[in-house]
Amino acid sequence: MASGSIRVRSSGVHQSELLKAYQPIRVWLGVSGVLVFTATAIAGGWWEGYVAAGVMAIQSAHGMYRLRNSSDDPWNVFLVDVSVIGIGCLIIRSLAVIGLAFALLVAVVAALAVPASRLRSWAYTGTWFVAVLVAHEMLGGTSLSRQAISWINLSAVVVFIPAIAILVTSATGIISNIARSRDEFLASVSHEIRTPLTMVVGLARELEEDPHRFSPEERAEFVGMISDQSSELAHIVDDLLVAARLDGGELFVTPTDLDLCSLVQNAVADCEPIISPSGAVVRVIDMEGIRAWADQARVRQVIRNLLTNALRYGGPSIEVGCTTGSNGMSLVEVRDNGDGVPEVARERIFKPYERAHSFRGQPGSVGLGLSVSTQLADLMRGELTYTYEDGWSVFRLALPTSG
């Protein structure tokens, strides 16, 4: 396999949450549409109603599939919904239905479309809207009686108005929660950056003002401490930048053939400045021949985040190693013998701005490491999971095997 940059998109923070809230609405729209169109077709002998019911059945089936198999892919979801609603409006050609349907689509675009796809989302919606209006003007209304049209219009109000209200309410609540979490996050970032920055500034000032006061060994020790703290700052900033690019909707990864075990050893060695002060015992489980197809820099970043997490919140014994999973994936495991993450919090810790110290009472965590690591694993066609096995917390990074 040849290496190369792969362009990938992320739905961002609030888009991902809104997509989950929107899936039940999609199922509601599909099922309601099938019932309304089928009843109208039977009562009025309207064969187009069966076609419209079939189209809505496809949308309902897609919504149910996404509901059971969650996917952070707003564009695909949006593409199906616009197409289905557009076809339904072409068949019905009722101005009331057209207006309500496209009002819902406008709300969906505003809530779900990431910056990278927002322009084409508006363009696709606008194209369908123009096509439906042109069809209405050229073909006129349907052959249904006025009573049947009134029934469909009333049904559209009952179906679409609650859907729009629920979507807007969900968007307001989710974005409000994200804003509150980000306020807490900014406070954590300030604390996290201030600690190493204070040490760097203080030591540098001491060396600048009176360097001859210190012996060569002390100066070398100061320089080493400045270097270590500067590296810590660089890693914090790296997580912040990656999180911003993920939230913006785009990130590049460059997969190559990796010697995973050597990468694990090097990543642990890079973390020595934060391992030594912690007092924890970190053991690298040495294995050979484990290879993976992934982005080297991103894998190192994930390993560092997992190790940092274990040092902050785990037990005194930590093991880091790599192996091959039963599904053929290459695995990196970071274990610690701490108390583990409470079961109720095991999904939350992978969300942005959630921090393990929220449950352990320990301050000073930015709250992005696990979220960034999870998204990076997804982008490399892998997965990051957590389990508690025989008294050990286990974070397991699964990556595609080379070959």
Side-chain angles (χ1 to χ4, degrees):
M1 300 175 70
S3 64
S5 294
I6 297 177
R7 194 177 193 181
V8 293
R9 287 185 173 87
S10 166
S11 63
V13 176
H14 70 274
Q15 284 89 356
S16 178
E17 293 296 319
L18 282 168
L19 189 60
K20 294 177 182 177
Y22 177 56
Q23 298 295 7
I25 297 175
R26 302 183 68 229
V27 175
W28 157 256
L29 289 173
V31 173
S32 300
V34 169
L35 294 176
V36 170
F37 290 139
T38 301
T40 306
I42 294 174
W46 183 47
W47 68 268
E48 293 101 326
Y50 293 110
V51 177
V55 172
M56 295 306 294
I58 294 173
Q59 195 271 350
S60 179
H62 187 266
M64 290 180 180
Y65 172 79
R66 291 288 184 179
L67 195 60
R68 296 179 59 185
N69 304 275
S70 62
S71 172
D72 293 338
D73 194 353
W75 171 248
N76 287 341
V77 170
F78 177 75
L79 201 65
V80 171
D81 286 0
V82 174
S83 302
V84 166
I85 290 177
I87 293 172
C89 289
L90 285 175
I91 295 172
I92 298 173
R93 298 193 298 278
S94 164
L95 288 178
V97 174
I98 293 171
L100 288 171
F102 279 91
L104 174 63
L105 291 178
V106 168
V108 172
V109 174
L112 295 183
V114 299
S117 64
R118 188 162 290 146
L119 181 60
R120 61 175 175 170
S121 297
W122 285 118
Y124 195 68
T125 304
T127 300
W128 267 108
F129 185 62
V130 171
V132 168
L133 290 181
V134 170
H136 181 272
E137 290 299 319
M138 294 181 63
L139 303 177
T142 66
S143 58
L144 283 172
S145 64
R146 297 183 65 178
Q147 183 178 3
I149 287 293
S150 299
W151 163 248
I152 288 180
N153 290 342
L154 178 61
S155 300
V157 171
V158 173
V159 171
F160 285 112
I161 293 297
I164 295 172
I166 292 172
L167 183 62
V168 171
T169 302
S170 298
T172 303
I174 291 171
I175 293 175
S176 175
N177 289 337
I178 291 295
R180 184 165 52 252
S181 296
R182 282 183 172 174
D183 288 342
E184 298 174 0
F185 159 74
L186 289 175
S188 295
V189 169
S190 299
H191 171 83
E192 192 82 349
I193 291 179
R194 186 185 300 117
T195 301
L197 190 59
T198 299
M199 182 174 290
V200 168
V201 172
L203 293 174
R205 186 166 295 164
E206 288 288 336
L207 290 174
E208 180 186 33
E209 292 177 351
D210 193 3
H212 302 294
R213 199 177 74 183
F214 304 101
S215 67
E217 292 77 13
E218 288 176 322
R219 288 198 296 269
E221 182 181 358
F222 281 8
V223 170
M225 293 171 66
I226 291 173
S227 176
D228 292 343
Q229 294 301 316
S230 298
S231 296
E232 184 67 16
L233 276 172
H235 289 302
I236 294 172
V237 172
D238 193 28
D239 272 351
L240 293 172
L241 291 175
V242 170
R245 293 175 66 187
L246 287 167
D247 198 29
E250 288 198 358
L251 187 70
F252 288 92
V253 294
T254 306
T256 57
D257 180 20
L258 300 179
D259 182 340
L260 200 55
C261 296
S262 295
L263 184 60
V264 167
Q265 292 174 344
N266 292 335
V268 173
D270 289 343
C271 293
E272 186 59 35
I274 60 174
I275 294 175
S276 298
S278 70
V281 177
V282 179
R283 184 167 70 96
V284 178
I285 302 174
D286 192 14
M287 291 187 66
E288 296 182 357
I290 309 298
R291 309 196 71 83
W293 183 256
D295 186 307
Q296 178 172 322
R298 300 309 176 194
V299 174
R300 290 173 76 105
Q301 184 175 1
V302 172
I303 295 172
R304 177 184 172 81
N305 284 339
L306 296 180
L307 187 53
T308 301
N309 186 74
L311 291 168
R312 285 183 184 278
Y313 310 113
S317 296
I318 300 172
E319 295 180 352
V320 186
C322 55
T323 184
T324 301
S326 58
N327 57 355
M329 300 283 277
S330 297
L331 306 179
V332 175
E333 295 182 347
V334 178
R335 300 169 170 264
D336 72 79
N337 63 346
D339 295 335
V341 179
E343 192 167 349
V344 295
R346 291 180 184 178
E347 290 187 9
R348 291 183 57 194
I349 58 173
F350 292 106
K351 293 182 179 180
Y353 316 118
E354 293 291 345
R355 300 176 299 280
H357 67 73
S358 297
F359 314 106
R360 298 285 302 276
Q362 184 172 347
S365 170
V366 172
L368 279 178
L370 291 179
S371 170
V372 166
S373 298
T374 301
Q375 294 181 78
L376 289 178
D378 290 341
L379 299 183
M380 293 185 288
R381 308 295 186 261
E383 185 182 21
L384 180 62
T385 57
Y386 171 82
T387 58
Y388 193 73
E389 304 171 358
D390 300 324
W392 288 79
S393 284
V394 183
F395 283 93
R396 188 172 286 117
L397 171 65
L399 296 169
T401 303
S402 300

